[in-house]
């Protein structure tokens, strides 16, 4: 699907692309709402704005924010991820002062950190973003999506601004704590 923004005389054409998480990685079988990518046409942006929805959210929830980011020159990505457990609820009765950190670390990185969630690398934010970037590079080879991947195929966070809605904002802040990103 493509859409164009025409609300100002200097409006740029914004294209919306929907990508099934399973198309980007065949091992994904849950949390399957489409990732959504918004880009200016022609695609030239050298930074990504990654937007993470909140608990039980979908990338569609950030459509307005992401379109504005694309108008401002970002490649905007609304990423579907394991968002069916609210961190604050999962940790409400857990006495560990590190409970929220461990839940977020597992959702972001896919390592076995917390008994409250079960997220492997393929389904983690890291895994899903890298899979999507590889897919976009294969599908649109002339657009330079590979500039956002390191030699090992992982996301180059120094080129990815992170944002989120509700719980996604908490994940974005935690990513900013773990990784060097241009902005949160």
């Amino acid at each position: 699907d493509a859409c164009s923004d025409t609300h100002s005389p200097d409006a740029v054409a914004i294209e919306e692309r929907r990508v099934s998480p399973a198309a980007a990685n065949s091992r994904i079988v849950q949390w399957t709402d489409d990732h959504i990518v918004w880009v200016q046409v022609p695609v030239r942006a050298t930074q990504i704005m990654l937007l993470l929805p909140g608990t039980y959210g979908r990338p569609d929830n950030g459509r307005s924010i992401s379109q504005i980011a694309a108008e401002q020159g970002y490649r905007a990505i609304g990423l579907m991820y394991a968002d069916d457990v609210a961190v604050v609820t999962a940790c409400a009765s857990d006495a560990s002062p590190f409970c929220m950190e461990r839940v977020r670390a597992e959702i972001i990185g896919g390592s076995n950190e917390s008994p409250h969630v079960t997220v492997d690398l393929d389904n983690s934010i890291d895994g899903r973003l890298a899979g999507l970037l590889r897919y976009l590079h294969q599908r649109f080879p002339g657009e330079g999506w590979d500039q956002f991947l390191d030699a090992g195929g992982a996301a180059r966070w120094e080129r990815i601004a992170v944002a989120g809605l509700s719980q996604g904002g908490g994940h974005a802040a935690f990513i900013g704590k773990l990784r060097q990103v241009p902005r949160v």
Side-chain angles (χ1 to χ4, degrees), residues 156-160 175-183:
R156 291 183 62 196
W157 288 99
E158 71 274 8
R159 293 187 175 198
I160 302 169
I175 289 169
K177 179 180 173 184
L178 298 174
R179 316 243 166 77
Q180 187 170 347
V181 297
R183 66 185 325 154

Side-chain angles (χ1 to χ4, degrees), residues 86-95 99-100 116:
V87 176
V88 69
T89 303
C91 293
S93 61
D94 189 319
C99 181
M100 289 187 182
H116 302 293

Side-chain angles (χ1 to χ4, degrees), residues 5 10-15 37-50 64-77 143 145 147-148 159-161 182-183:
D5 180 353
D10 299 323
V12 295
I14 303 298
E15 184 174 296
V37 179
W38 293 269
V39 291
Q40 281 187 27
V41 180
V43 179
R44 291 188 210 108
T46 59
Q47 284 194 348
I48 289 173
M49 187 212 54
L50 176 66
S64 295
I65 295 168
S66 297
Q67 286 179 334
I68 291 168
E71 289 170 8
Q72 297 298 314
Y74 286 93
R75 300 174 191 221
I77 294 176
E143 293 180 354
W145 289 98
Q147 71 183 299
F148 303 105
R159 293 187 175 198
I160 302 169
R183 66 185 325 154

